[in-house]
PDB file of all heavy atoms in Angstrom:
ATOM      1  N   ILE A 297      -6.264   9.320   1.176  1.00  0.00           N
ATOM      2  CA  ILE A 297      -4.827   9.447   0.889  1.00  0.00           C
ATOM      3  C   ILE A 297      -4.547   9.192  -0.589  1.00  0.00           C
ATOM      4  O   ILE A 297      -3.843   9.957  -1.256  1.00  0.00           O
ATOM      5  CB  ILE A 297      -4.015   8.464   1.758  1.00  0.00           C
ATOM      6  CG1 ILE A 297      -4.057   8.881   3.237  1.00  0.00           C
ATOM      7  CG2 ILE A 297      -2.558   8.399   1.278  1.00  0.00           C
ATOM      8  CD1 ILE A 297      -3.400   7.885   4.168  1.00  0.00           C
ATOM      9  N   SER A 298      -5.101   8.101  -1.111  1.00  0.00           N
ATOM     10  CA  SER A 298      -4.777   7.700  -2.480  1.00  0.00           C
ATOM     11  C   SER A 298      -5.332   8.661  -3.526  1.00  0.00           C
ATOM     12  O   SER A 298      -4.789   8.769  -4.631  1.00  0.00           O
ATOM     13  CB  SER A 298      -5.293   6.286  -2.754  1.00  0.00           C
ATOM     14  OG  SER A 298      -6.702   6.242  -2.645  1.00  0.00           O
ATOM     15  N   ASN A 299      -6.409   9.352  -3.204  1.00  0.00           N
ATOM     16  CA  ASN A 299      -7.048  10.209  -4.198  1.00  0.00           C
ATOM     17  C   ASN A 299      -6.800  11.697  -4.013  1.00  0.00           C
ATOM     18  O   ASN A 299      -7.118  12.486  -4.903  1.00  0.00           O
ATOM     19  CB  ASN A 299      -8.557   9.927  -4.208  1.00  0.00           C
ATOM     20  CG  ASN A 299      -8.886   8.569  -4.767  1.00  0.00           C
ATOM     21  OD1 ASN A 299      -8.902   8.366  -5.976  1.00  0.00           O
ATOM     22  ND2 ASN A 299      -9.113   7.596  -3.891  1.00  0.00           N
ATOM     23  N   LEU A 300      -6.226  12.082  -2.874  1.00  0.00           N
ATOM     24  CA  LEU A 300      -5.930  13.494  -2.635  1.00  0.00           C
ATOM     25  C   LEU A 300      -4.434  13.785  -2.678  1.00  0.00           C
ATOM     26  O   LEU A 300      -4.034  14.953  -2.772  1.00  0.00           O
ATOM     27  CB  LEU A 300      -6.507  13.922  -1.276  1.00  0.00           C
ATOM     28  CG  LEU A 300      -8.036  13.843  -1.140  1.00  0.00           C
ATOM     29  CD1 LEU A 300      -8.473  14.247   0.262  1.00  0.00           C
ATOM     30  CD2 LEU A 300      -8.719  14.714  -2.187  1.00  0.00           C
ATOM     31  N   TRP A 301      -3.617  12.730  -2.597  1.00  0.00           N
ATOM     32  CA  TRP A 301      -2.165  12.931  -2.580  1.00  0.00           C
ATOM     33  C   TRP A 301      -1.584  12.385  -3.888  1.00  0.00           C
ATOM     34  O   TRP A 301      -1.481  11.177  -4.072  1.00  0.00           O
ATOM     35  CB  TRP A 301      -1.559  12.224  -1.379  1.00  0.00           C
ATOM     36  CG  TRP A 301      -0.131  12.615  -1.104  1.00  0.00           C
ATOM     37  CD1 TRP A 301       0.690  13.391  -1.870  1.00  0.00           C
ATOM     38  CD2 TRP A 301       0.650  12.226   0.031  1.00  0.00           C
ATOM     39  NE1 TRP A 301       1.913  13.534  -1.294  1.00  0.00           N
ATOM     40  CE2 TRP A 301       1.927  12.823  -0.105  1.00  0.00           C
ATOM     41  CE3 TRP A 301       0.396  11.451   1.157  1.00  0.00           C
ATOM     42  CZ2 TRP A 301       2.951  12.648   0.816  1.00  0.00           C
ATOM     43  CZ3 TRP A 301       1.405  11.277   2.093  1.00  0.00           C
ATOM     44  CH2 TRP A 301       2.663  11.876   1.922  1.00  0.00           C
ATOM     45  N   ALA A 302      -1.217  13.288  -4.773  1.00  0.00           N
ATOM     46  CA  ALA A 302      -0.758  12.889  -6.109  1.00  0.00           C
ATOM     47  C   ALA A 302       0.523  12.068  -6.064  1.00  0.00           C
ATOM     48  O   ALA A 302       0.773  11.250  -6.954  1.00  0.00           O
ATOM     49  CB  ALA A 302      -0.553  14.130  -6.980  1.00  0.00           C
ATOM     50  N   ARG A 303       1.352  12.277  -5.056  1.00  0.00           N
ATOM     51  CA  ARG A 303       2.644  11.580  -4.989  1.00  0.00           C
ATOM     52  C   ARG A 303       2.571  10.286  -4.162  1.00  0.00           C
ATOM     53  O   ARG A 303       3.598   9.698  -3.845  1.00  0.00           O
ATOM     54  CB  ARG A 303       3.704  12.508  -4.397  1.00  0.00           C
ATOM     55  CG  ARG A 303       4.047  13.718  -5.276  1.00  0.00           C
ATOM     56  CD  ARG A 303       5.218  14.482  -4.692  1.00  0.00           C
ATOM     57  NE  ARG A 303       6.407  13.639  -4.578  1.00  0.00           N
ATOM     58  CZ  ARG A 303       7.465  13.956  -3.837  1.00  0.00           C
ATOM     59  NH1 ARG A 303       7.472  15.063  -3.130  1.00  0.00           N
ATOM     60  NH2 ARG A 303       8.507  13.144  -3.793  1.00  0.00           N
ATOM     61  N   TRP A 304       1.380   9.854  -3.811  1.00  0.00           N
ATOM     62  CA  TRP A 304       1.253   8.637  -3.007  1.00  0.00           C
ATOM     63  C   TRP A 304       1.776   7.432  -3.780  1.00  0.00           C
ATOM     64  O   TRP A 304       1.551   7.294  -4.982  1.00  0.00           O
ATOM     65  CB  TRP A 304      -0.200   8.406  -2.605  1.00  0.00           C
ATOM     66  CG  TRP A 304      -0.394   7.200  -1.734  1.00  0.00           C
ATOM     67  CD1 TRP A 304      -1.022   6.045  -2.060  1.00  0.00           C
ATOM     68  CD2 TRP A 304       0.056   7.038  -0.386  1.00  0.00           C
ATOM     69  NE1 TRP A 304      -0.998   5.171  -1.013  1.00  0.00           N
ATOM     70  CE2 TRP A 304      -0.334   5.750   0.040  1.00  0.00           C
ATOM     71  CE3 TRP A 304       0.768   7.846   0.492  1.00  0.00           C
ATOM     72  CZ2 TRP A 304      -0.050   5.263   1.310  1.00  0.00           C
ATOM     73  CZ3 TRP A 304       1.043   7.364   1.763  1.00  0.00           C
ATOM     74  CH2 TRP A 304       0.642   6.089   2.157  1.00  0.00           C
ATOM     75  N   ASN A 305       2.464   6.525  -3.073  1.00  0.00           N
ATOM     76  CA  ASN A 305       3.076   5.355  -3.704  1.00  0.00           C
ATOM     77  C   ASN A 305       2.065   4.206  -3.749  1.00  0.00           C
ATOM     78  O   ASN A 305       2.037   3.344  -2.868  1.00  0.00           O
ATOM     79  CB  ASN A 305       4.331   4.944  -2.919  1.00  0.00           C
ATOM     80  CG  ASN A 305       5.230   4.021  -3.722  1.00  0.00           C
ATOM     81  OD1 ASN A 305       4.760   3.229  -4.520  1.00  0.00           O
ATOM     82  ND2 ASN A 305       6.533   4.129  -3.509  1.00  0.00           N
ATOM     83  N   PHE A 306       1.228   4.190  -4.788  1.00  0.00           N
ATOM     84  CA  PHE A 306       0.177   3.178  -4.920  1.00  0.00           C
ATOM     85  C   PHE A 306       0.765   1.771  -4.987  1.00  0.00           C
ATOM     86  O   PHE A 306       0.253   0.839  -4.357  1.00  0.00           O
ATOM     87  CB  PHE A 306      -0.641   3.422  -6.204  1.00  0.00           C
ATOM     88  CG  PHE A 306      -1.426   4.689  -6.209  1.00  0.00           C
ATOM     89  CD1 PHE A 306      -0.868   5.864  -6.700  1.00  0.00           C
ATOM     90  CD2 PHE A 306      -2.720   4.722  -5.739  1.00  0.00           C
ATOM     91  CE1 PHE A 306      -1.601   7.043  -6.724  1.00  0.00           C
ATOM     92  CE2 PHE A 306      -3.460   5.887  -5.757  1.00  0.00           C
ATOM     93  CZ  PHE A 306      -2.899   7.056  -6.242  1.00  0.00           C
ATOM     94  N   GLN A 307       1.810   1.611  -5.769  1.00  0.00           N
ATOM     95  CA  GLN A 307       2.392   0.288  -6.005  1.00  0.00           C
ATOM     96  C   GLN A 307       2.917  -0.328  -4.718  1.00  0.00           C
ATOM     97  O   GLN A 307       2.657  -1.494  -4.419  1.00  0.00           O
ATOM     98  CB  GLN A 307       3.510   0.387  -7.041  1.00  0.00           C
ATOM     99  CG  GLN A 307       4.045  -0.966  -7.489  1.00  0.00           C
ATOM    100  CD  GLN A 307       5.066  -0.835  -8.609  1.00  0.00           C
ATOM    101  OE1 GLN A 307       5.526   0.248  -8.918  1.00  0.00           O
ATOM    102  NE2 GLN A 307       5.421  -1.952  -9.218  1.00  0.00           N
ATOM    103  N   PHE A 308       3.645   0.473  -3.921  1.00  0.00           N
ATOM    104  CA  PHE A 308       4.168  -0.067  -2.674  1.00  0.00           C
ATOM    105  C   PHE A 308       3.039  -0.373  -1.694  1.00  0.00           C
ATOM    106  O   PHE A 308       3.093  -1.382  -0.976  1.00  0.00           O
ATOM    107  CB  PHE A 308       5.147   0.920  -2.026  1.00  0.00           C
ATOM    108  CG  PHE A 308       5.644   0.460  -0.678  1.00  0.00           C
ATOM    109  CD1 PHE A 308       6.644  -0.493  -0.586  1.00  0.00           C
ATOM    110  CD2 PHE A 308       5.085   0.952   0.499  1.00  0.00           C
ATOM    111  CE1 PHE A 308       7.083  -0.943   0.651  1.00  0.00           C
ATOM    112  CE2 PHE A 308       5.519   0.514   1.735  1.00  0.00           C
ATOM    113  CZ  PHE A 308       6.524  -0.434   1.804  1.00  0.00           C
ATOM    114  N   ALA A 309       2.022   0.475  -1.652  1.00  0.00           N
ATOM    115  CA  ALA A 309       0.901   0.251  -0.734  1.00  0.00           C
ATOM    116  C   ALA A 309       0.221  -1.086  -1.036  1.00  0.00           C
ATOM    117  O   ALA A 309      -0.134  -1.841  -0.111  1.00  0.00           O
ATOM    118  CB  ALA A 309      -0.100   1.394  -0.846  1.00  0.00           C
ATOM    119  N   LEU A 310       0.059  -1.386  -2.327  1.00  0.00           N
ATOM    120  CA  LEU A 310      -0.579  -2.644  -2.706  1.00  0.00           C
ATOM    121  C   LEU A 310       0.295  -3.842  -2.340  1.00  0.00           C
ATOM    122  O   LEU A 310      -0.199  -4.854  -1.822  1.00  0.00           O
ATOM    123  CB  LEU A 310      -0.864  -2.644  -4.207  1.00  0.00           C
ATOM    124  CG  LEU A 310      -1.707  -3.801  -4.746  1.00  0.00           C
ATOM    125  CD1 LEU A 310      -3.060  -3.833  -4.073  1.00  0.00           C
ATOM    126  CD2 LEU A 310      -1.870  -3.672  -6.260  1.00  0.00           C
ATOM    127  N   LYS A 311       1.616  -3.735  -2.576  1.00  0.00           N
ATOM    128  CA  LYS A 311       2.531  -4.819  -2.215  1.00  0.00           C
ATOM    129  C   LYS A 311       2.576  -5.011  -0.696  1.00  0.00           C
ATOM    130  O   LYS A 311       2.610  -6.151  -0.204  1.00  0.00           O
ATOM    131  CB  LYS A 311       3.935  -4.515  -2.741  1.00  0.00           C
ATOM    132  CG  LYS A 311       4.067  -4.633  -4.255  1.00  0.00           C
ATOM    133  CD  LYS A 311       5.483  -4.332  -4.713  1.00  0.00           C
ATOM    134  CE  LYS A 311       5.628  -4.475  -6.222  1.00  0.00           C
ATOM    135  NZ  LYS A 311       7.008  -4.159  -6.681  1.00  0.00           N
ATOM    136  N   ALA A 312       2.589  -3.912   0.044  1.00  0.00           N
ATOM    137  CA  ALA A 312       2.601  -3.995   1.505  1.00  0.00           C
ATOM    138  C   ALA A 312       1.339  -4.688   2.004  1.00  0.00           C
ATOM    139  O   ALA A 312       1.387  -5.512   2.927  1.00  0.00           O
ATOM    140  CB  ALA A 312       2.720  -2.598   2.114  1.00  0.00           C
ATOM    141  N   GLY A 313       0.199  -4.362   1.379  1.00  0.00           N
ATOM    142  CA  GLY A 313      -1.055  -5.005   1.757  1.00  0.00           C
ATOM    143  C   GLY A 313      -1.012  -6.508   1.546  1.00  0.00           C
ATOM    144  O   GLY A 313      -1.485  -7.278   2.384  1.00  0.00           O
ATOM    145  N   ALA A 314      -0.404  -6.949   0.439  1.00  0.00           N
ATOM    146  CA  ALA A 314      -0.309  -8.381   0.139  1.00  0.00           C
ATOM    147  C   ALA A 314       0.539  -9.105   1.182  1.00  0.00           C
ATOM    148  O   ALA A 314       0.190 -10.212   1.637  1.00  0.00           O
ATOM    149  CB  ALA A 314       0.282  -8.584  -1.245  1.00  0.00           C
ATOM    150  N   ILE A 315       1.652  -8.497   1.596  1.00  0.00           N
ATOM    151  CA  ILE A 315       2.520  -9.114   2.609  1.00  0.00           C
ATOM    152  C   ILE A 315       1.830  -9.133   3.962  1.00  0.00           C
ATOM    153  O   ILE A 315       1.896 -10.127   4.706  1.00  0.00           O
ATOM    154  CB  ILE A 315       3.861  -8.360   2.693  1.00  0.00           C
ATOM    155  CG1 ILE A 315       4.637  -8.507   1.385  1.00  0.00           C
ATOM    156  CG2 ILE A 315       4.702  -8.883   3.863  1.00  0.00           C
ATOM    157  CD1 ILE A 315       5.900  -7.673   1.317  1.00  0.00           C
ATOM    158  N   LEU A 316       1.138  -8.059   4.306  1.00  0.00           N
ATOM    159  CA  LEU A 316       0.427  -7.991   5.584  1.00  0.00           C
ATOM    160  C   LEU A 316      -0.669  -9.053   5.667  1.00  0.00           C
ATOM    161  O   LEU A 316      -0.931  -9.617   6.732  1.00  0.00           O
ATOM    162  CB  LEU A 316      -0.164  -6.595   5.774  1.00  0.00           C
ATOM    163  CG  LEU A 316       0.841  -5.509   6.149  1.00  0.00           C
ATOM    164  CD1 LEU A 316       0.267  -4.123   5.881  1.00  0.00           C
ATOM    165  CD2 LEU A 316       1.247  -5.647   7.619  1.00  0.00           C
ATOM    166  N   ILE A 317      -1.300  -9.335   4.532  1.00  0.00           N
ATOM    167  CA  ILE A 317      -2.321 -10.386   4.502  1.00  0.00           C
ATOM    168  C   ILE A 317      -1.701 -11.736   4.840  1.00  0.00           C
ATOM    169  O   ILE A 317      -2.277 -12.538   5.596  1.00  0.00           O
ATOM    170  CB  ILE A 317      -2.994 -10.432   3.121  1.00  0.00           C
ATOM    171  CG1 ILE A 317      -3.856  -9.179   2.915  1.00  0.00           C
ATOM    172  CG2 ILE A 317      -3.854 -11.683   2.972  1.00  0.00           C
ATOM    173  CD1 ILE A 317      -4.281  -8.967   1.490  1.00  0.00           C
ATOM    174  N   LEU A 318      -0.514 -12.022   4.284  1.00  0.00           N
ATOM    175  CA  LEU A 318       0.180 -13.271   4.611  1.00  0.00           C
ATOM    176  C   LEU A 318       0.489 -13.346   6.108  1.00  0.00           C
ATOM    177  O   LEU A 318       0.356 -14.402   6.730  1.00  0.00           O
ATOM    178  CB  LEU A 318       1.478 -13.388   3.805  1.00  0.00           C
ATOM    179  CG  LEU A 318       1.362 -13.645   2.306  1.00  0.00           C
ATOM    180  CD1 LEU A 318       2.749 -13.727   1.685  1.00  0.00           C
ATOM    181  CD2 LEU A 318       0.591 -14.940   2.045  1.00  0.00           C
ATOM    182  N   ILE A 319       0.905 -12.212   6.680  1.00  0.00           N
ATOM    183  CA  ILE A 319       1.224 -12.179   8.116  1.00  0.00           C
ATOM    184  C   ILE A 319      -0.019 -12.490   8.941  1.00  0.00           C
ATOM    185  O   ILE A 319       0.019 -13.306   9.874  1.00  0.00           O
ATOM    186  CB  ILE A 319       1.797 -10.803   8.515  1.00  0.00           C
ATOM    187  CG1 ILE A 319       3.149 -10.568   7.839  1.00  0.00           C
ATOM    188  CG2 ILE A 319       1.952 -10.700  10.037  1.00  0.00           C
ATOM    189  CD1 ILE A 319       3.704  -9.170   8.038  1.00  0.00           C
ATOM    190  N   VAL A 320      -1.135 -11.856   8.602  1.00  0.00           N
ATOM    191  CA  VAL A 320      -2.377 -12.077   9.343  1.00  0.00           C
ATOM    192  C   VAL A 320      -2.818 -13.528   9.243  1.00  0.00           C
ATOM    193  O   VAL A 320      -3.248 -14.142  10.232  1.00  0.00           O
ATOM    194  CB  VAL A 320      -3.485 -11.142   8.822  1.00  0.00           C
ATOM    195  CG1 VAL A 320      -4.825 -11.480   9.472  1.00  0.00           C
ATOM    196  CG2 VAL A 320      -3.120  -9.682   9.111  1.00  0.00           C
ATOM    197  N   MET A 321      -2.723 -14.113   8.049  1.00  0.00           N
ATOM    198  CA  MET A 321      -3.122 -15.503   7.878  1.00  0.00           C
ATOM    199  C   MET A 321      -2.223 -16.438   8.674  1.00  0.00           C
ATOM    200  O   MET A 321      -2.688 -17.428   9.249  1.00  0.00           O
ATOM    201  CB  MET A 321      -3.083 -15.880   6.394  1.00  0.00           C
ATOM    202  CG  MET A 321      -4.232 -15.312   5.592  1.00  0.00           C
ATOM    203  SD  MET A 321      -5.854 -15.818   6.197  1.00  0.00           S
ATOM    204  CE  MET A 321      -5.844 -17.557   5.797  1.00  0.00           C
ATOM    205  N   ALA A 322      -0.916 -16.150   8.714  1.00  0.00           N
ATOM    206  CA  ALA A 322       0.014 -16.984   9.485  1.00  0.00           C
ATOM    207  C   ALA A 322      -0.324 -16.919  10.972  1.00  0.00           C
ATOM    208  O   ALA A 322      -0.282 -17.945  11.672  1.00  0.00           O
ATOM    209  CB  ALA A 322       1.449 -16.528   9.248  1.00  0.00           C
TER     210      ALA A 322
END
């Protein structure tokens, strides 16, 4: 997705990953 889709929202994907990690740890 990240390398074939030029309009992919990299920044949001990274932020979403950080929040999801907090959820998993909780």
Side-chain angles (χ1 to χ4, degrees):
I297 291 174
S298 62
N299 291 281
L300 297 178
W301 193 352
R303 294 187 59 196
W304 182 249
N305 197 327
F306 294 90
Q307 188 175 11
F308 176 79
L310 188 59
K311 288 181 179 179
I315 295 174
L316 285 162
I317 291 166
L318 289 180
I319 294 173
V320 173
M321 285 302 291

